[in-house]
Amino acid sequence: IADKIKKYAFSGGRDTLEEHRALGGRPEVDVAYQYLTFFMEDDAELQRIHDAYKSGAMTTGELKGILIKILQELVAKHQVARAAVTDAMIDEFMRVRPLEIVVPKAKVTPTTTDTTPKQ
């Protein structure tokens, strides 16, 4: 995960560190930041990261490091949960069973649709 993010994730950082510190990063185009908007649960922390990156206080490497940590934890949890799945669980999930479809009856309300003129 770390290698792919460090190598391939498009950065919103500037060309040089000096330029980045002076002008700040562009979180709106930074792939690592965009992923954080989906995977980070703490909105206040996400806003802090946004502000620090945009001001130039946080570098692209630091931002990617935060994303790497979150994704590694997420994938580790998924791997543990996946390892707990047994063949019996898969068989039960995949077994053919009848669908029980319940269609609610529509309420019929009387309406006046007579549009003939009264005499």
Side-chain angles (χ1 to χ4, degrees):
I1 293 175
D3 291 339
K4 290 191 187 247
I5 290 172
K6 287 177 183 175
K7 190 172 183 179
Y8 298 111
F10 183 78
S11 164
R14 305 297 175 158
D15 293 335
T16 65
L17 182 60
E18 294 78 24
E19 199 175 292
H20 181 81
R21 295 281 187 211
L23 301 174
R26 296 167 298 197
E28 61 277 357
V29 298
D30 193 291
V31 171
Y33 179 78
Q34 294 303 315
Y35 271 107
L36 283 177
T37 63
F38 291 103
F39 293 113
M40 183 168 266
E41 294 179 12
D42 186 351
D43 290 339
E45 178 66 9
L46 182 63
Q47 185 63 47
R48 186 196 69 73
I49 290 169
H50 175 274
D51 296 344
Y53 188 62
K54 194 163 183 93
S55 72
M58 180 180 287
T59 66
T60 300
E62 292 168 329
L63 181 65
K64 287 181 178 184
I66 294 168
L67 175 64
I68 290 165
K69 181 178 180 248
I70 288 173
L71 288 181
Q72 285 175 338
E73 290 171 1
L74 179 79
V75 169
K77 286 179 188 176
H78 178 73
Q79 288 171 335
V80 169
R82 186 172 181 205
V85 174
T86 64
D87 288 340
M89 293 167 90
I90 293 171
D91 292 342
E92 176 59 25
F93 182 80
M94 298 300 290
R95 94 178 150 79
V96 177
R97 54 192 173 273
L99 294 177
E100 296 177 20
I101 300 173
V102 178
V103 179
K105 292 185 178 184
K107 290 184 180 179
V108 178
T109 56
T111 58
T112 57
T113 57
D114 186 13
T115 58
T116 57
K118 302 273 184 193
Q119 293 182 10

